[in-house]
Amino acid sequence: MKSIIIQKLLNYPKKTITLEELETIISNDMMSYDLFANHILALEDESVLEMIKTKGRNTRTPSLAYSYRIHKQQLKKDYHDELKRYRLKLHREIQLDSYFRLDPTQWQKDLPYLQSIHTYLQVNGFPDYKVPAPERSVELFGDEKWITEGNGKELLERIGLWSKLKIMPVSDPLMFAINPTTLSNLEHKHLIVENKTTYQALVEILPETDFTSLIYGSGNKIIKSIEQFERQLPLPCRNDCFYYFGDLDRSGLFIWERLNEKKPPIQPALPFYRACLTKPPIAGKTNQRLDATSIEKFVMYFTDKEQAVIQSLLNSGHYYPQEVLKTRELQHIWRHSEWN
């Protein structure tokens, strides 16, 4: 019960709380006044709750103050002490630093999983080879979906074990075409296009370029499937340069930014985007989420004048689909542009 009270007080938005508010957030129909008062007095003794003297105390027995000041740092002390104890109990590779910054409820939610990971490491140590996420998930928890669907990846990253447990992400295979004439190159360029129409227009001239691959992004799917790239294309020289060409709208820029989180740096395919800017824009994308961060990062690749045009375009709900560039134009741009 004490941990529940502490959690509710930590989540309480104000620094002071009245007795009536304490009864509302802590008490219930099954709790007697004596039991409720004993909990509050214990928190007084621990200096978690400090009586506001000007408000006075009630006349009941035990007597409680009408208003308290909440010392949240003192509240967190017990929680932090618990984390320090578990640092000594759990496997030395399980990192708990992030929990000192998180809400205690996250710790309580994760603790059973941390104990299972501890037991696994004590018995097996760290694995020697990679296996798919569902297989490792069964080994750790007897649940093949925990890593992929139960926030398991986030937890393992939080405690610094994602890479050490050698887990292969499960995602759809990446779809791409290869230019065999470039496979022995020391450097490899790859073009990611968002839509199928653009992919079909460009794939037939891939051998006429110095790009190693043309990748079909399929909208948001590329954010996960890009994880498979090195496995599907194990080049002898791993010096890759990625370019991205998607719809010039809020959604397309968001996809580009998420890709950069997975595999930076992925450059905007400037020759294609600049060709789009010479066309009349299309109206109708006012319902997409405006992500200021992705827009800011994207426009940095363009001149000041181009930045202003793109910002105005997106703010007004206009956009450029990839299809504004016809097949012959796309092919000409890819063949004849400089790709640095």
Side-chain angles (χ1 to χ4, degrees), residues 8-22 25 48-49 52 67-72 75:
K8 289 186 175 182
L9 289 174
L10 280 170
N11 291 335
Y12 190 72
K14 295 186 286 188
K15 294 181 180 179
T16 62
I17 188 168
T18 66
L19 181 59
E20 184 179 357
E21 288 167 332
L22 276 170
I25 68 169
V48 169
L49 293 177
I52 298 177
S67 188
Y68 288 97
R69 185 172 290 106
I70 305 170
H71 294 292
K72 293 195 176 183
L75 266 177

Side-chain angles (χ1 to χ4, degrees), residues 222-236:
I222 185 66
I223 296 169
K224 287 293 292 179
S225 59
I226 196 66
E227 297 171 345
Q228 305 286 351
F229 184 71
E230 282 83 1
R231 295 183 64 236
Q232 290 183 226
L233 188 58
L235 295 166

Side-chain angles (χ1 to χ4, degrees), residues 10-282:
L10 280 170
N11 291 335
Y12 190 72
K14 295 186 286 188
K15 294 181 180 179
T16 62
I17 188 168
T18 66
L19 181 59
E20 184 179 357
E21 288 167 332
L22 276 170
E23 291 173 336
T24 300
I25 68 169
I26 294 173
S27 188
N28 57 54
D29 294 338
M30 302 298 293
M31 184 184 293
S32 66
Y33 174 80
D34 284 352
L35 181 58
F36 168 73
N38 287 335
H39 284 309
I40 300 306
L41 291 174
L43 292 173
E44 280 193 50
D45 291 340
E46 294 171 15
S47 300
V48 169
L49 293 177
E50 177 189 0
M51 171 190 174
I52 298 177
K53 294 181 180 179
T54 56
K55 302 295 184 181
R57 303 182 79 91
N58 67 14
T59 57
R60 300 183 67 175
T61 304
S63 177
L64 297 176
Y66 283 115
S67 188
Y68 288 97
R69 185 172 290 106
I70 305 170
H71 294 292
K72 293 195 176 183
Q73 282 305 115
Q74 192 65 28
L75 266 177
K76 291 179 180 178
K77 183 178 181 299
D78 287 347
Y79 168 53
H80 288 175
D81 287 344
E82 181 178 359
L83 291 176
K84 291 172 185 176
R85 287 195 299 272
Y86 271 96
R87 267 181 171 166
L88 301 177
K89 291 181 182 181
L90 296 174
H91 192 281
R92 64 182 181 276
E93 294 293 331
I94 297 176
Q95 300 173 18
L96 301 183
D97 292 6
S98 63
Y99 289 101
F100 286 87
R101 302 185 298 273
L102 295 174
D103 193 288
T105 54
Q106 188 64 57
W107 164 251
Q108 294 299 328
K109 180 180 176 182
D110 289 356
L111 183 56
Y113 298 107
L114 298 179
Q115 291 169 324
S116 294
I117 295 166
H118 166 80
T119 301
Y120 172 87
L121 293 175
Q122 290 288 93
V123 174
N124 303 288
F126 285 103
D128 297 322
Y129 55 90
K130 283 189 173 185
V131 299
E135 182 178 335
R136 189 71 77 215
S137 193
V138 169
E139 291 177 350
L140 288 167
F141 306 103
D143 177 0
E144 76 281 3
K145 296 181 180 179
W146 178 76
I147 289 177
T148 55
E149 299 179 22
N151 297 318
K153 184 172 189 259
E154 289 83 351
L155 184 149
L156 292 173
E157 289 176 335
R158 187 179 299 133
I159 62 175
L161 292 186
W162 174 255
S163 60
K164 294 179 181 179
L165 286 170
K166 299 188 182 300
I167 298 166
M168 274 189 268
V170 175
S171 55
D172 291 335
L174 187 65
M175 295 175 278
F176 58 89
I178 297 173
N179 181 358
T181 65
T182 66
L183 293 179
S184 60
N185 289 358
L186 296 178
E187 296 182 353
H188 299 279
K189 293 197 284 285
H190 311 279
L191 175 62
I192 303 168
V193 295
E194 185 180 330
N195 297 336
K196 191 179 298 182
T197 303
T198 308
Y199 177 86
Q200 295 292 358
L202 292 174
V203 69
E204 64 181 82
I205 67 157
L206 173 59
E208 302 173 32
T209 74
D210 62 350
F211 278 69
T212 299
S213 74
L214 175 66
I215 301 169
Y216 170 45
S218 189
N220 283 291
K221 288 185 179 179
I222 185 66
I223 296 169
K224 287 293 292 179
S225 59
I226 196 66
E227 297 171 345
Q228 305 286 351
F229 184 71
E230 282 83 1
R231 295 183 64 236
Q232 290 183 226
L233 188 58
L235 295 166
C237 177
R238 193 87 257 173
N239 190 1
D240 298 310
C241 180
F242 291 88
Y243 296 87
Y244 177 79
F245 177 43
D247 291 344
L248 187 43
D249 60 10
R250 298 173 184 180
S251 178
L253 271 56
F254 180 72
I255 294 170
W256 169 79
E257 188 196 8
R258 293 291 305 279
L259 270 174
N260 267 285
E261 293 173 1
K262 292 291 184 71
K263 190 176 291 298
I266 296 179
Q267 303 177 48
L270 294 180
F272 291 117
Y273 285 114
R274 284 180 167 141
C276 289
L277 293 176
T278 67
K279 311 289 183 180
I282 296 174

